[in-house]
Amino acid sequence: VLFRSILRDSAGLNIGMFLRGGTLNKHILNIHLENYSSLNNFGHIQNYVEGDSEVVTRIIHQGLGSSSEQFYTCESGRNSQTVVQSITQISDISNFAEAGVEVSGMITGNHGRCHAVPTMYNHSDNAKTNFGSNIEYLDAEKIYYLQTRGMPKSKADFLLVNSHRLKTINLVDNEEIKNELKEMFSDVQNGFDV
């Protein structure tokens, strides 16, 4: 899937991208931001068994005061992979631009892989930027702690993975869509016996 857009003066765009499973599931966003335009882009990528999903974003700040924020969470299970590659370019005329990228991945199965590649090219002296990424394994110590409090392992797994994915699902304002996303990523479908 390829999505291209130019946001003209003072335009705004919110994009929520939620991907579940797939082989060679690739999505590309190419957004150009002009004067005082803004982009909010967030989503969740999930692959549980032998899948490969990738999101590539290219955000180009071309005007004064443009703003972009991107936040993705990812899950990779057994023999699967998720990739979030974000390229943000801020031109030398983009004074007072703001750009942020954050990616948080969780590996939940053997040979799972999460890749986060936030790249920022800032050619402006007056732009504010921030980016970061973290990749973690489903934490055995946290699971053990919950088990010592009487929680079965499957529910402890569910609690940790679900809290990770809800970081982005809860950004959706529309309750109907939010509930549909929660159902789409329900753990009965994903191998947890809750």
Side-chain angles (χ1 to χ4, degrees):
V1 175
L2 173 62
F3 178 80
R4 290 183 179 172
S5 182
I6 297 173
L7 299 182
R8 303 276 181 217
D9 295 351
S10 301
L13 178 64
N14 293 320
I15 298 175
M17 191 174 329
F18 295 85
L19 312 173
R20 183 173 164 255
T23 303
L24 297 175
N25 190 2
K26 188 168 191 171
H27 300 270
I28 301 170
L29 296 175
N30 189 357
I31 310 288
H32 292 249
L33 302 172
E34 294 185 353
N35 293 327
Y36 305 104
S37 57
S38 65
L39 169 71
N40 289 309
N41 174 25
F42 59 90
H44 183 75
I45 306 169
Q46 177 189 72
N47 271 326
Y48 264 91
V49 179
E50 299 179 4
D52 185 9
S53 293
E54 182 175 3
V55 170
V56 178
T57 64
R58 182 172 176 239
I59 312 302
I60 300 173
H61 291 257
Q62 302 179 141
L64 295 172
S66 55
S67 170
S68 66
E69 286 294 327
Q70 299 183 81
F71 178 46
Y72 278 88
T73 52
C74 310
E75 299 171 51
S76 290
R78 182 171 46 90
N79 297 323
S80 67
Q81 171 175 272
T82 59
V83 178
V84 176
Q85 180 178 358
S86 173
I87 302 161
T88 304
Q89 295 174 277
I90 302 172
S91 74
D92 58 348
I93 63 167
S94 293
N95 292 325
F96 313 111
E98 296 184 15
V101 178
E102 183 178 347
V103 180
S104 178
M106 180 178 278
I107 298 171
T108 61
N110 293 332
H111 306 290
R113 297 170 309 281
C114 289
H115 302 281
V117 188
T119 306
M120 188 131 354
Y121 300 99
N122 183 3
H123 300 286
S124 171
D125 293 334
N126 297 318
K128 293 181 184 177
T129 62
N130 64 73
F131 60 93
S133 63
N134 71 299
I135 308 296
E136 63 183 335
Y137 286 93
L138 188 56
D139 193 326
E141 289 182 19
K142 290 178 184 175
I143 293 168
Y144 176 75
Y145 174 82
L146 293 170
Q147 286 179 301
T148 63
R149 302 296 185 260
M151 186 177 287
K153 183 180 181 322
S154 61
K155 287 194 178 183
D157 288 348
F158 166 76
L159 181 68
L160 295 174
V161 172
N162 198 49
S163 67
H164 176 75
R165 73 173 64 113
L166 287 177
K167 292 175 189 176
T168 49
I169 291 175
N170 283 336
L171 294 174
V172 175
D173 291 333
N174 183 299
E175 288 300 319
E176 185 178 329
I177 294 171
K178 185 185 299 186
N179 290 333
E180 188 176 322
L181 288 169
K182 287 178 181 178
E183 178 64 29
M184 180 173 133
F185 293 105
S186 73
D187 292 295
V188 173
Q189 297 175 10
N190 298 323
F192 291 116
D193 181 22
V194 182

